[in-house]
Amino acid sequence: MIILGLDPGYATIGFGVIDKTAGSISAVDYGVITTPPNETIAVRLAMIDDAMTSLMNKFRPECVSVEELFFNTNITTGIKVAHARGVILLNAIKACGRLYEYTPLQIKQALTGNGRAAKHQVQYMVKTVLRLADVPKPDDAADALAAAICHANMSGATRREIR
């Protein structure tokens, strides 16, 4: 099963593609989608939509796992990220039809056994589970792979599916 993990953002969106077959999980690809800060929000959202369409067409995931929005104190950034996340969710559900969301706590729990794990612990587990030589960079890509691994580990468990 091809699973696309996404770490939503506005300037940077992490993506990670994994293949889960017969109890084994391997990395297919990972990276980031970036938008230039000098563009308007509408242009940046269109760029995100185009990049998401390209990802969906290239990898044809059977499901998409998205980290839920963690809202910090900067409301302006939070609103922009929410706009971008809306584009990401819409694109994913239209292209794939199987969309799952996990909180940061659920993702950390699924990878490390500790919902309050530090970022470096999650990154280490991503590297270990996928048998990679190094921790994936940038951090957004590692977070997206973690979301994909979380879904691979939780596929048979209770989860929130959005249809």
Side-chain angles (χ1 to χ4, degrees), residues 27-106:
V28 175
D29 196 8
Y30 58 87
V32 293
I33 298 165
T34 58
T35 63
N38 59 331
E39 287 292 352
T40 65
I41 186 168
V43 170
R44 291 173 83 173
L45 294 175
M47 293 170 90
I48 291 168
D49 184 56
D50 288 346
M52 285 295 302
T53 299
S54 293
L55 280 176
M56 293 295 177
N57 289 336
K58 181 176 181 179
F59 297 109
R60 304 269 182 220
E62 294 171 58
C63 56
V64 178
S65 176
V66 182
E67 183 175 325
E68 285 189 358
L69 182 60
F70 176 76
F71 186 69
N72 59 18
T73 57
N74 186 339
I75 193 156
T76 303
T77 301
I79 290 170
K80 289 178 180 178
V81 172
H83 286 316
R85 193 170 183 280
V87 169
I88 291 164
L89 295 178
L90 178 63
N91 189 294
I93 200 70
K94 286 173 71 176
C96 174
R98 294 178 65 204
L99 175 63
Y100 304 86
E101 294 185 281
Y102 298 96
T103 65
L105 190 134
Q106 288 173 307

Side-chain angles (χ1 to χ4, degrees), residues 112-134:
T112 69
N114 175 6
R116 304 278 183 224
K119 188 176 242 352
H120 71 88
Q121 292 171 305
V122 175
Q123 291 173 342
Y124 174 80
M125 288 307 297
V126 167
K127 175 186 166 221
T128 302
V129 168
L130 297 175
R131 296 174 302 284
L132 300 172
D134 297 304

